[in-house]
């Protein structure tokens, strides 16, 4: 008996639900719930983690991210302007920098700054400076490319209008082109902030002191203490507390940009 | 500033009757020679319309006057300042020359009022209150006092172009350049912009206008310049150039502009004024 199109859709959909229900039942029967809960979400441990996981770890994650982002943004803008310069050596320097730092792992940069520089130059950088540079140097390379694309996306007529009003090249860039470029690159820059939030976990390599722990380090430390995955899950959820709203913001900004066109 | 007037861009003796003097102007983009020796002058208070087919070099000529394009050779003197002199402070010259673009080029991140004040404050160093006073006066002049807080995206094309004219006027320019100011507008919005330009002309503003609006050229221009292929083919009072053109090329062009349907089949290779691209 041939099925109509609607009947066939219903059968396919029905069997998909049936499969799902079956899997859920099997997992529910097989799993050792007590143990899983102890491993992943031990309420006692969660209570123990607070408030330090917020006041120290989350705060430090945000602080490190902002340090890296701030440095990366300024350096990225500078690199973008160098990349667009009419003086060839500036362009070469910018291109070399961008290609280098986009091409090597961020981990390597952390090792170089955290261990390489102190050993080779026999001087210890301030911890916060190390964090800012490690996160910012790589971030700057990505942000430079984003900002450069943003500057180039501003129509040439904007510069021409500014120049025809007597503005110098620099003034036209500062007052007219860069503000418009930043509106264009706000969504990708926010994405960069999300990536940096996650990359800030690499700071854990640097062997910081207790008060300087960020989420990953804090979770790792608590993991050793409690022999439970709970701290890692809590740390993960706290990353989401930062990254999910930012991701939502990116989509709203993108929608706004799309509407403005 | 007073020691070397020619280089600082200050106005020369008020008696100088020449606003723009172009001599032997050549401009090439790579191998493409766009202007092939242009000579012409615009007197103070004069309204000169430049007409001609697409690609004839009208925009390039206009852009050479305020050095948005660097001439390949020849000289351009604007109100006594030789702008082609390599030692000239071009930013100082440009602030005296208002320019209105086909695609308006308002600053989209600024309100109408801010579009008018930013260069006054940043370039002329006027304080905020004075810049706003002058800006409001100019918005009133173009009939848009109620739009000072609007962003360009919230304005119609005709309104945007009038704000752009007001923006140029706020710098107190000695002359104004218009590059097809109505070509990007819906037909019903053209009239408002032309009316503003007409009143400017009546107030004695020196204007160099690239346009396809033949009625404007006939009624407002003191002189019409017809360009084709990078040279001036003929120029003179509108009655003569538009009314009774001497050259065959002028006649062909006018026939097509005034009655596009009558365009000859042999001429389709040339895009003509209706085939214009609008740079946005
Ligand atoms: N920046 C540039 N680089 C290369 N070629 C150019 C440039 N600007 C203009 N041209 C060329 O110069 C020629 C004249 O251009 P121009 O814009 O002056 O013509 P126009 O008379 O204003 O035409 P239209 O009526 O279409 O505006 C065209 O062939 C154009 O392609
Ligand atoms: Mg043109």
């Amino acid at each position: 008996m041939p099925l109509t199109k609607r009947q066939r859709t219903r059968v396919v959909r029905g069997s998909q639900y049936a499969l799902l229900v079956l899997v859920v039942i099997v997992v529910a029967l097989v799993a050792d719930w007590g143990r899983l809960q102890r491993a992943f979400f031990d309420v006692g441990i969660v209570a123990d983690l607070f408030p330090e996981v917020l006041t120290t770890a989350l705060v430090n994650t945000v602080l490190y991210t902002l340090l890296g982002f701030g440095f990366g943004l300024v350096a990225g803008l500078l690199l973008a302007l160098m990349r667009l310069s009419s003086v060839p050596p500036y362009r070469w320097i910018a291109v070399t920098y961008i290609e280098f730092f986009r091409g090597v792992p961020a981990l390597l940069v952390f090792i170089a700054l955290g261990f390489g520089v102190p050993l080779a130059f026999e001087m210890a950088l301030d911890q916060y400076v190390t964090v800012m540079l490690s996160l910012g140097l790589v971030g700057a390379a990505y942000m430079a490319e984003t900002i450069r694309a943003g500057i180039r996306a501003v129509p040439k007529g904007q510069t021409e209008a500014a120049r025809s009003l007597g503005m110098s090249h620099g003034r036209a860039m500062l007052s007219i082109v860069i503000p418009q470029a930043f509106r264009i690159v706000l969504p990708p820059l926010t994405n960069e902030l999300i990536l940096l939030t996650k990359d800030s976990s690499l700071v854990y390599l640097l062997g910081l002191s207790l008060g300087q722990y960020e989420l990953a380090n804090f979770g790792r430390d608590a993991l050793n203490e409690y022999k439970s995955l709970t701290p890692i899950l809590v740390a993960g959820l706290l990353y989401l507390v930062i990254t999910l709203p930012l991701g939502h913001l990116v989509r709203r900004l993108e929608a706004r940009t799309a509407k403005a066109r | 500033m007073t020691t070397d007037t020619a280089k600082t861009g200050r106005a020369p003796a008020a008696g100088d009757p020449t606003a723009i003097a172009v001599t032997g102007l050549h401009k090439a983009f790579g191998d493409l020679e766009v202007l092939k020796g242009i000579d012409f002058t615009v007197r103070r208070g004069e309204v000169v319309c430049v007409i001609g087919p697409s690609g004839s070099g009208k925009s390039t000529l206009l852009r050479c006057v305020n050095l948005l394009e660097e001439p390949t050779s020849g000289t351009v003197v604007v109100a006594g300042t030789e702008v082609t002199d390599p030692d000239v402070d071009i930013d100082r010259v440009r602030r005296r020359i208002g320019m209105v673009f086909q695609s308006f080029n308002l600053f989209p991140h600024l309100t109408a009022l801010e579009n008018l004040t930013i260069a006054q404050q940043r370039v002329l160093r006027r304080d905020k209150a004075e810049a706003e006073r002058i800006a409001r006066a100019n918005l009133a002049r173009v009939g848009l006092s109620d739009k000072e807080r609007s962003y360009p995206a919230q304005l119609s094309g005709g309104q945007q172009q009038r704000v752009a004219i007001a923006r140029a006027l706020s710098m107190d320019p000695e002359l104004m350049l218009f590059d097809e100011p109505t070509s990007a507008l819906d037909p019903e919005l053209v009239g408002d912009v032309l009316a503003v330009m007409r009143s400017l002309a009546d107030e004695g503003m020196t204007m160099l206008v690239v346009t396809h609006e033949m009625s404007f050229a006939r009624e407002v221009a003191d002189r019409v310049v017809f360009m084709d292929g990078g040279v001036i083919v003929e120029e003179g009072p509108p009655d003569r150039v538009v009314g009774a053109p001497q050259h065959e090329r002028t006649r062909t062009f006018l026939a097509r502009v005034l009655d596009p349907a009558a365009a000859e089949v042999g001429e389709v290779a040339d895009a003509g004024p209706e085939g214009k691209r609008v740079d946005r």
Side-chain angles (χ1 to χ4, degrees), chain A residues 155-169 171 175-177 179-180 183 260, chain B residues 63 66 68 90-91 94-95 97 99 101 105-110 118-119 122-123 167-168 171:
Chain A
K156 207 163 124 252
Q158 290 292 311
T159 320
E160 290 182 349
R163 296 306 301 274
S164 75
L165 289 165
M167 291 190 200
S168 63
H169 175 77
R171 172 49 68 189
S175 294
I176 305 302
V177 177
Q180 291 184 55
R183 290 180 145 202
Chain B
R63 294 159 60 85
N66 70 350
L68 282 182
I90 190 60
D91 294 336
R94 284 205 189 109
R95 69 175 77 157
I97 309 174
M99 176 127 185
F101 300 86
N105 296 352
L106 288 182
F107 306 132
H109 62 304
L110 302 177
I118 186 156
R122 300 298 188 186
V123 177
R167 176 175 68 179
M171 304 295 285

Side-chain angles (χ1 to χ4, degrees), chain A residues 157-226:
Chain A
Q158 290 292 311
T159 320
E160 290 182 349
R163 296 306 301 274
S164 75
L165 289 165
M167 291 190 200
S168 63
H169 175 77
R171 172 49 68 189
M173 271 305 223
L174 208 63
S175 294
I176 305 302
V177 177
I178 290 176
Q180 291 184 55
F182 264 98
R183 290 180 145 202
I184 297 171
V185 300
L186 213 50
L189 277 186
T190 312
N191 260 328
E192 184 62 28
L193 188 59
I194 296 175
L195 291 178
L196 271 180
T197 304
K198 295 188 284 179
D199 279 354
S200 71
S201 59
L202 286 170
V203 166
Y204 118 91
L205 272 176
L206 298 177
L208 300 175
S209 61
L210 220 55
Q212 292 174 323
Y213 278 5
E214 42 67 63
L215 283 171
N217 219 332
F218 187 92
R220 168 84 206 257
D221 198 56
L223 168 66
N224 285 340
E225 189 183 333
Y226 297 104

